[in-house]
Amino acid sequence: LIPVPLSLDAKGGSKRMLGNHLTMMMFALDRDDLRDTARAIQTLADQQRAIVRDKLDVAMAAALSFAKPLPRVAYRFLSTLPFGGDTASLIFSNPGNISLEHFAGLAVVDAFPMPSVVLPPGFQVVCSRHGGRLSAQIGYLDPLLSEREAASMGEALRADLVG
């Protein structure tokens, strides 16, 4: 179960800075998919195309809106019921280049999102682009990672991206 942004704007998009909706997509990988990264990515991509083609992303946004007034306990029960227990969050988004050039009359030299860390599991990597640069942040809640583990993840991510 993965939350993803959903734009309900007409093709060509909106010029507003904020305003996407949020929807959930349900994905499944079997053990064989998990043994091969390329196969796992292809399986997820195929499932995402099917979800969008069948408009299940829009339908889930409507269901989430309907569930919004529920108390947290009821919402948590309903969200974990299909899985038979706890879930973990995997969130991905590619909003494109952040096109914020001026704010409050000043030039913007860098921009990046600062989302709160989602539980469970309390760990996330957030990437964004602004001004031709890629920003990557590793966020986590204590005591999930030690400072040393977090630093080594940052170093490994930089090595993977830059070489």
Short mmCIF file of all heavy atoms in Angstrom, two decimals, residues 29-37 39-40:
data_model
loop_
_atom_site.label_atom_id
_atom_site.label_comp_id
_atom_site.label_asym_id
_atom_site.label_seq_id
_atom_site.Cartn_x
_atom_site.Cartn_y
_atom_site.Cartn_z
N LEU A 29 4.56 -7.87 -4.59
CA LEU A 29 5.73 -8.51 -5.15
C LEU A 29 5.84 -9.90 -4.53
O LEU A 29 5.69 -10.05 -3.32
CB LEU A 29 7.00 -7.72 -4.83
CG LEU A 29 7.14 -6.35 -5.49
CD1 LEU A 29 8.34 -5.62 -4.90
CD2 LEU A 29 7.28 -6.50 -6.98
N ASP A 30 6.12 -10.91 -5.36
CA ASP A 30 6.34 -12.23 -4.78
C ASP A 30 7.83 -12.42 -4.51
O ASP A 30 8.65 -11.58 -4.85
CB ASP A 30 5.75 -13.34 -5.66
CG ASP A 30 6.39 -13.45 -7.03
OD1 ASP A 30 7.60 -13.16 -7.16
OD2 ASP A 30 5.70 -13.83 -7.98
N ARG A 31 8.17 -13.52 -3.89
CA ARG A 31 9.56 -13.75 -3.49
C ARG A 31 10.52 -13.73 -4.68
O ARG A 31 11.64 -13.25 -4.58
CB ARG A 31 9.68 -15.07 -2.73
CG ARG A 31 9.01 -15.02 -1.38
CD ARG A 31 9.27 -16.30 -0.60
NE ARG A 31 8.43 -16.37 0.57
CZ ARG A 31 8.68 -15.76 1.71
NH1 ARG A 31 9.75 -15.01 1.81
NH2 ARG A 31 7.88 -15.88 2.73
N ASP A 32 10.10 -14.26 -5.82
CA ASP A 32 10.97 -14.27 -7.00
C ASP A 32 11.25 -12.85 -7.48
O ASP A 32 12.35 -12.55 -7.93
CB ASP A 32 10.35 -15.10 -8.13
CG ASP A 32 10.32 -16.58 -7.80
OD1 ASP A 32 11.19 -17.04 -7.01
OD2 ASP A 32 9.43 -17.29 -8.31
N ASP A 33 10.24 -11.97 -7.40
CA ASP A 33 10.44 -10.57 -7.78
C ASP A 33 11.50 -9.92 -6.90
O ASP A 33 12.30 -9.10 -7.36
CB ASP A 33 9.14 -9.76 -7.65
CG ASP A 33 8.07 -10.19 -8.64
OD1 ASP A 33 8.42 -10.67 -9.74
OD2 ASP A 33 6.88 -10.03 -8.32
N LEU A 34 11.50 -10.25 -5.62
CA LEU A 34 12.42 -9.63 -4.68
C LEU A 34 13.87 -10.09 -4.85
O LEU A 34 14.78 -9.44 -4.35
CB LEU A 34 11.95 -9.89 -3.25
CG LEU A 34 10.61 -9.24 -2.88
CD1 LEU A 34 10.16 -9.71 -1.51
CD2 LEU A 34 10.71 -7.73 -2.94
N ARG A 35 14.07 -11.16 -5.56
CA ARG A 35 15.44 -11.66 -5.78
C ARG A 35 16.15 -10.93 -6.91
O ARG A 35 17.36 -11.05 -7.07
CB ARG A 35 15.40 -13.16 -6.08
CG ARG A 35 15.04 -13.99 -4.87
CD ARG A 35 15.18 -15.49 -5.15
NE ARG A 35 14.77 -16.22 -3.99
CZ ARG A 35 13.58 -16.84 -3.87
NH1 ARG A 35 12.73 -16.82 -4.86
NH2 ARG A 35 13.29 -17.49 -2.76
N ASP A 36 15.39 -10.20 -7.74
CA ASP A 36 15.95 -9.53 -8.91
C ASP A 36 15.41 -8.10 -8.97
O ASP A 36 14.22 -7.89 -9.21
CB ASP A 36 15.55 -10.32 -10.16
CG ASP A 36 16.07 -9.72 -11.45
OD1 ASP A 36 16.75 -8.68 -11.42
OD2 ASP A 36 15.76 -10.28 -12.52
N THR A 37 16.29 -7.12 -8.75
CA THR A 37 15.86 -5.72 -8.68
C THR A 37 15.16 -5.29 -9.98
O THR A 37 14.11 -4.64 -9.93
CB THR A 37 17.06 -4.80 -8.40
OG1 THR A 37 17.66 -5.20 -7.16
CG2 THR A 37 16.63 -3.35 -8.30
N ARG A 39 13.58 -7.07 -12.16
CA ARG A 39 12.27 -7.72 -12.23
C ARG A 39 11.27 -7.06 -11.28
O ARG A 39 10.11 -6.84 -11.63
CB ARG A 39 12.41 -9.21 -11.90
CG ARG A 39 11.10 -9.97 -11.92
CD ARG A 39 11.32 -11.43 -11.65
NE ARG A 39 10.06 -12.10 -11.42
CZ ARG A 39 9.92 -13.40 -11.38
NH1 ARG A 39 10.96 -14.19 -11.58
NH2 ARG A 39 8.74 -13.93 -11.15
N ALA A 40 11.72 -6.72 -10.07
CA ALA A 40 10.85 -6.05 -9.11
C ALA A 40 10.38 -4.71 -9.64
O ALA A 40 9.19 -4.37 -9.56
CB ALA A 40 11.57 -5.88 -7.77
#
